[in-house]
Amino acid sequence: MEKIFNNTEVAFALKNNAELKRAYLLFKMISKPSLVKIGTSLTNFSIQAKLPVKGLIKSTVFDHFCGGVTVQDCLKVVDKMYTKGVSSVLDYSVGGKETEEQFDAALAMTLRTIEFAKERAAIPFAVFKPTGVGRFYLFEKKGENLPFTESEQKEWENVIRRFDTICKYAHDLDVLLLVDAEESWMQDAADEIVLDMMRKYNREKCIVFNTAQTYRWDRFDFVKKTHEIGLAEGFHTGFKVVRGAYMEKERERAAQKGYPSPICATKAQTDATFNKTASYILENLDNKMALFAGTHNEESNYMLIEKMRELNIAHNDRRMWFGQLYGMSDNISYNLAKHQYNIAKYLPFGPVYDVVPYLIRRAEENTSVAGQTNRELDLLETEIKRRKNAK
Ligand SMILES: Cc1cc2nc3c(=O)[nH]c(=O)nc-3n(C[C@H](O)[C@H](O)[C@H](O)COP(=O)(O)OP(=O)(O)OC[C@H]3O[C@@H](n4cnc5c(N)ncnc54)[C@H](O)[C@@H]3O)c2cc1C
């Protein structure tokens, strides 16, 4: 198969020379685990001690991995990426909130992003995180079937109301909606609500997409079961399929509490579950399914391209989307767009300090996933050299 992701001219067409060099330096720093560790501790300490580090964070990791502080900031990036056929998903990446006011603010922000998506072809999806609209503890308690106190019950009803308000709005405005997945010990309760939302709002087509983290060995069966329920009850089932971002935490908790780890024993097993789950959905597009494949793994993206070819699925079939995160794997995103595939990048935004946990996850991920940072560095270096030689 033609290795389309090696084309760096297409990958970095939107970056000028200075931006290429800045990205190179950033990935060079991130590639050093000790530097990421120190940087993470220093950042957390500085924020707590109220030291003025906002400017430093903003001009380095924030600007590389985020679209801006506000939706308005992001629109410039959205329009620019769309000139090359790459769409955006506005991702309000503020985590760790605990109060009803904060959850209502996140709800309002999500509704706004749905409106922006409605107005722009460049933004085909909206997205939200379950714990952005409700306390983690409540999801956990619900998932364990423990009884709520009276006030917790009221809070939980608010969580359901927020989910429903977002999904109904997306449905009414005809905007596709992704629901992110988080730690397994809160996910059961979220899955149950999302299933109900699909039941309500996916009657005519797939509007609400749940997320399947395929580092969990039970997720293929989960997707298949959800699909069977959908077929029996007459609604569509959409999934964002990813590998999963909380592996270390999952394994640690399972070991600490003495239950079997929900995570695949090996990377190869995760890869196989990813392939099997994504393939199942592709094979069932005509059977009321839709897929958003969120991955930076080149092999997985090539596998999906090949599978689409085998199944005769048009590159721009609206039931199949590829997805990467802003600031990562531009070689995949821009080359997919060049070949007319549907591709959308998550574009995180929010106040600089509130986005720090997201940024730390990105830095750690790029450090821990051997090969990914080196691949980014190789590609940037190739393009810098290519431009020099082309002069
Ligand atoms: C558009 C988009 C949306 C996303 N949404 C979510 C979301 O809602 N929830 C979420 O949790 N994550 C989400 N992610 C992050 C995603 O789950 C991965 O963390 C990230 O994309 C890295 O996986 P990969 O397929 O890109 O790359 P790869 O480098 O191929 O895979 C790395 C991943 O493989 C798994 N893995 C690594 N080592 C092992 C091992 N020894 N044993 C078993 N498994 C292993 C881990 O999941 C690790 O993150 C999203 C990513 C994208 C691109």
Side-chain angles (χ1 to χ4, degrees):
M1 185 198 281
E2 189 197 348
K3 295 288 178 198
I4 60 171
F5 302 142
N6 292 339
N7 187 332
T8 58
E9 186 176 0
V10 170
F12 300 115
L14 292 178
K15 283 204 188 321
N16 63 31
N17 291 346
E19 285 165 337
L20 271 187
K21 280 192 190 132
R22 200 185 65 179
Y24 184 83
L25 285 177
L26 186 75
F27 277 110
K28 202 81 197 160
M29 280 190 325
I30 288 178
S31 70
K32 298 188 169 51
S34 53
L35 213 60
V36 170
K37 241 189 184 151
I38 295 168
T40 303
S41 311
L42 266 179
T43 307
N44 286 333
F45 169 79
S46 307
I47 293 173
Q48 267 164 21
K50 300 200 169 17
L51 297 176
V53 285
K54 202 195 261 179
L56 184 65
I57 298 172
K58 171 118 187 20
S59 62
T60 53
V61 272
F62 184 92
D63 281 347
H64 184 85
F65 290 111
C66 298
V69 174
T70 64
V71 176
Q72 219 63 38
D73 295 339
C74 292
L75 293 183
K76 278 178 252 155
V77 183
V78 169
D79 290 341
K80 195 171 165 192
M81 291 205 292
Y82 202 54
T83 60
K84 300 291 177 194
V86 174
S87 301
S88 301
V89 184
L90 295 176
D91 177 21
Y92 185 56
S93 286
V94 167
K97 300 294 180 193
E98 287 283 308
T99 70
E100 292 295 278
E101 293 72 34
Q102 289 167 332
F103 296 137
D104 280 332
L107 164 69
M109 187 55 86
T110 308
L111 297 180
R112 265 200 90 202
T113 61
I114 293 174
E115 287 162 7
F116 273 97
K118 173 72 192 163
E119 287 161 14
R120 285 177 172 74
I123 311 176
F125 289 86
V127 64
F128 76 101
K129 242 186 182 37
T131 60
V133 295
R135 271 203 296 145
F136 189 101
Y137 173 72
L138 291 184
F139 284 98
E140 187 176 357
K141 203 165 175 186
K142 182 77 186 169
E144 285 171 359
N145 282 323
L146 296 172
F148 282 147
T149 63
E150 211 173 295
S151 75
E152 284 171 351
Q153 181 59 33
K154 276 205 184 107
E155 262 189 79
W156 186 246
E157 280 158 21
N158 279 336
V159 176
I160 308 276
R161 171 183 60 78
R162 292 188 195 104
F163 263 79
D164 195 59
T165 307
I166 293 169
C167 296
K168 181 173 188 315
Y169 204 49
H171 171 266
D172 293 353
L173 267 56
D174 197 16
V175 168
L176 307 180
L177 178 69
L178 303 166
V179 186
D180 281 346
E182 301 173 73
E183 291 86 340
S184 60
W185 56 101
M186 58 66 61
Q187 193 57 41
D188 285 351
D191 287 339
E192 213 173 289
I193 311 177
V194 182
L195 179 64
D196 265 344
M197 297 296 119
M198 287 190 189
R199 208 173 249 135
K200 259 173 114 169
Y201 300 114
N202 285 4
R203 291 274 154 194
E204 307 94 34
K205 66 174 189 182
C206 198
I207 290 284
V208 180
F209 289 61
N210 201 357
T211 297
Q213 298 153 305
T214 56
Y215 61 9
R216 287 182 58 174
W217 44 262
D218 66 350
R219 290 295 94 170
F220 173 75
D221 289 341
F222 167 73
V223 166
K224 195 159 173 279
K225 177 95 188 105
T226 309
H227 181 219
E228 283 161 6
I229 296 172
L231 286 181
E233 297 183 25
F235 62 86
H236 295 249
T237 41
F239 280 96
K240 165 156 60 90
V241 177
V242 299
R243 282 183 170 75
Y246 307 91
M247 184 174 73
E248 279 92 10
K249 235 172 153 181
E250 290 281 357
R251 285 185 167 154
E252 261 168 42
R253 185 175 191 269
Q256 243 172 35
K257 300 207 171 233
Y259 60 84
S261 171
I263 305 299
C264 294
T266 62
K267 171 73 162 64
Q269 217 175 318
T270 296
D271 293 345
T273 314
F274 181 96
N275 290 351
K276 190 173 163 191
T277 308
S279 298
Y280 175 84
I281 300 174
L282 277 184
E283 284 156 12
N284 281 288
L285 288 191
D286 288 335
N287 238 342
K288 297 192 169 173
M289 292 201 96
L291 174 64
F292 183 105
T295 177
H296 302 124
N297 181 305
E298 290 185 19
E299 287 314 310
S300 297
N301 282 290
Y302 282 130
M303 183 282 289
L304 290 164
I305 288 176
E306 181 55 24
K307 190 87 195 166
M308 285 173 76
R309 196 191 57 76
E310 260 172 50
L311 294 168
N312 237 341
I313 299 168
H315 289 199
N316 60 354
D317 188 310
R318 301 293 284 180
R319 298 166 300 178
M320 163 62 196
W321 284 82
F322 292 86
Q324 285 85 44
L325 305 179
Y326 182 69
M328 289 173 70
S329 299
D330 281 346
N331 65 313
I332 298 178
S333 314
Y334 287 86
N335 281 300
L336 283 171
K338 174 97 178 154
H339 289 81
Q340 278 81 46
Y341 290 98
N342 296 319
I343 146 79
K345 284 185 97 95
Y346 263 39
L347 189 58
F349 72 97
V352 176
Y353 286 154
D354 286 343
V355 177
V356 163
Y358 173 87
L359 294 172
I360 290 173
R361 272 210 303 283
R362 293 292 76 81
E364 285 176 349
E365 180 179 84
N366 278 288
T367 302
S368 67
V369 181
Q372 177 63 27
T373 304
N374 288 337
R375 177 73 173 139
E376 298 279 0
L377 285 169
D378 276 355
L379 291 160
L380 288 160
E381 210 167 1
T382 304
E383 180 57 9
I384 291 168
K385 277 192 193 139
R386 191 196 66 78
R387 287 188 192 182
K388 259 192 198 144
N389 292 337
K391 269 186 195 162

